[in-house]
């Protein structure tokens, strides 16, 4: 850890994250223990533990990446998210009336989850480029479109919850 990264290290966030992960694992273990002992059903506890490990690894890696990298690649992330949101209508898996998941090589993911991060990065970059003033109508409309286009695609899946998260994300950024 470099001197700058150690200076910005916030132990309260790390302890809070680990505490929430522990409580979630404890709840999952307590609800799935009977099926694990009987040998019936999937071992959701072990699966969740693996995903937590992967998530913590991604957090550790992205912590050491230069922040400028996210700024530089933000529009590329946005374009990839947009393409994935379109692809979900063609190659997505439908379950319970909604087409939200794409499976590639046995690994399933929701493009809308990636879109939340990509929209935030693209919106942040757009608003900081040349100090765009949100009070100008053209800037406001372009910034709104950055959020509303993926939001409409997500609503068509249908996934109202994730689309509302994008809308809620827009409000504090505009403020």
């Amino acid at each position: 850890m470099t001197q700058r990264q150690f200076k910005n290290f916030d132990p309260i966030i790390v302890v809070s994250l680990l505490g929430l992960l522990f409580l979630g694992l404890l709840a999952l273990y307590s609800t799935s223990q009977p099926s694990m002992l009987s040998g019936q059903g999937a071992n959701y506890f072990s699966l969740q533990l693996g995903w937590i490990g992967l998530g913590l690894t991604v957090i550790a890696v992205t912590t050491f990446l230069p922040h400028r990298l996210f700024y530089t690649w933000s529009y590329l992330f946005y374009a990839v998210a947009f393409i994935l949101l379109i692809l979900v209508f063609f190659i997505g898996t439908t379950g319970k009336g909604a087409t939200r998941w794409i499976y590639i090589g046995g690994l399933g993911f929701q493009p809308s989850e990636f879109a939340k991060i990509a929209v935030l990065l693209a919106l942040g970059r757009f608003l900081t480029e040349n100090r765009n003033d949100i009070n100008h109508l053209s800037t406001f409309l372009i910034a709104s479109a950055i959020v509303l286009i993926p939001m409409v695609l997500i609503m068509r899946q249908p996934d109202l919850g994730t689309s509302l998260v994008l809308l809620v994300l827009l409000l504090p950024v505009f403020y």
Side-chain angles (χ1 to χ4, degrees):
M1 195 175 256
T2 65
Q3 183 73 15
R4 180 184 59 84
Q5 289 167 328
F6 187 73
K7 180 181 173 188
N8 294 332
F9 180 75
D10 189 357
I12 294 174
I13 290 178
V14 173
V15 170
S16 299
L17 172 68
L18 294 176
L20 286 171
L21 290 174
F22 175 75
L23 290 174
L25 280 173
L26 186 65
L28 187 60
Y29 181 76
S30 69
T31 58
S32 63
Q33 185 182 15
S35 65
M36 289 186 327
L37 292 175
S38 67
Q40 300 171 352
N43 187 348
Y44 293 113
F45 177 78
S46 297
L47 287 171
Q48 187 67 21
L49 202 55
W51 285 113
I52 286 173
L54 178 65
L56 290 175
T57 303
V58 169
I59 288 172
V61 168
T62 55
T63 299
F64 292 107
L65 290 176
H67 296 233
R68 190 81 176 150
L69 184 71
F70 295 109
Y71 180 84
T72 304
W73 290 6
S74 60
Y75 289 148
L76 177 64
F77 291 153
Y78 185 82
V80 169
F82 181 76
I83 291 168
L84 289 173
L85 287 172
I86 297 291
L87 278 176
V88 84
F89 295 111
F90 298 105
I91 63 171
T93 303
T94 303
K96 297 182 183 178
T99 306
R100 298 180 189 156
W101 291 81
I102 293 178
Y103 286 90
I104 298 175
L107 180 68
F109 68 97
Q110 281 184 289
S112 58
E113 295 301 320
F114 178 69
K116 287 191 283 191
I117 297 168
V119 165
L120 185 60
L121 290 172
L123 185 61
R125 177 174 177 178
F126 173 73
L127 291 174
T128 58
E129 282 179 341
N130 303 320
R131 300 202 182 271
N132 284 326
D133 186 8
I134 196 67
N135 294 323
H136 290 106
L137 182 61
S138 62
T139 303
F140 177 78
L141 292 175
I142 293 170
S144 296
I146 288 172
V147 175
L148 293 176
I149 291 170
M151 185 179 143
V152 168
L153 290 173
I154 293 169
M155 284 177 61
R156 300 257 314 136
Q157 293 178 3
D159 188 356
L160 182 63
T162 303
S163 61
L164 289 177
V165 166
L166 286 177
L167 186 61
V168 169
L169 178 137
L170 183 66
L171 298 174
V173 171
F174 278 177
Y175 179 71

